Amino acid sequence: MVNIRFNDFKVESIMNNSGIFSGENIHTGIKATHKVNQGYGAILGNHNPITKGKHMVVDDDQIEFYQKKKT
């Protein structure tokens, strides 16, 4: 058995498919799927106005995720 101990543990953010578990855990039937396509990127520096920007996402992975709406 592996035993890992942390003196300090800090969580900066929790995202869509994240989980934090403590103690003895048995996880069954857990499934998480999430996909995000973003086309803006990052603008760094000072005095960088963005006007009338056009953005394109090239998504070549051929994986799409559709979630049925709960009724």
Side-chain angles (χ1 to χ4, degrees), residues 29-53:
I30 294 176
K31 181 178 179 182
T33 305
H34 184 77
K35 179 179 177 177
V36 175
N37 292 328
Q38 297 178 339
Y40 191 75
I43 307 299
L44 304 174
N46 298 321
H47 309 293
N48 295 313
I50 306 298
T51 58
K52 298 181 183 179

Side-chain angles (χ1 to χ4, degrees), residues 48-60:
N48 295 313
I50 306 298
T51 58
K52 298 181 183 179
K54 295 181 182 179
H55 314 282
M56 180 174 73
V57 174
V58 178
D59 183 15
D60 291 335

Side-chain angles (χ1 to χ4, degrees), residues 8-67:
D8 187 28
F9 187 78
K10 182 178 181 181
V11 177
E12 293 289 334
S13 65
I14 298 291
M15 300 301 287
N16 299 314
N17 292 342
S18 298
I20 298 175
F21 306 98
S22 176
E24 295 182 19
N25 296 279
I26 299 174
H27 305 283
T28 60
I30 294 176
K31 181 178 179 182
T33 305
H34 184 77
K35 179 179 177 177
V36 175
N37 292 328
Q38 297 178 339
Y40 191 75
I43 307 299
L44 304 174
N46 298 321
H47 309 293
N48 295 313
I50 306 298
T51 58
K52 298 181 183 179
K54 295 181 182 179
H55 314 282
M56 180 174 73
V57 174
V58 178
D59 183 15
D60 291 335
D61 64 10
Q62 299 180 358
I63 297 172
E64 300 303 325
F65 173 69
Y66 300 100
Q67 183 175 359

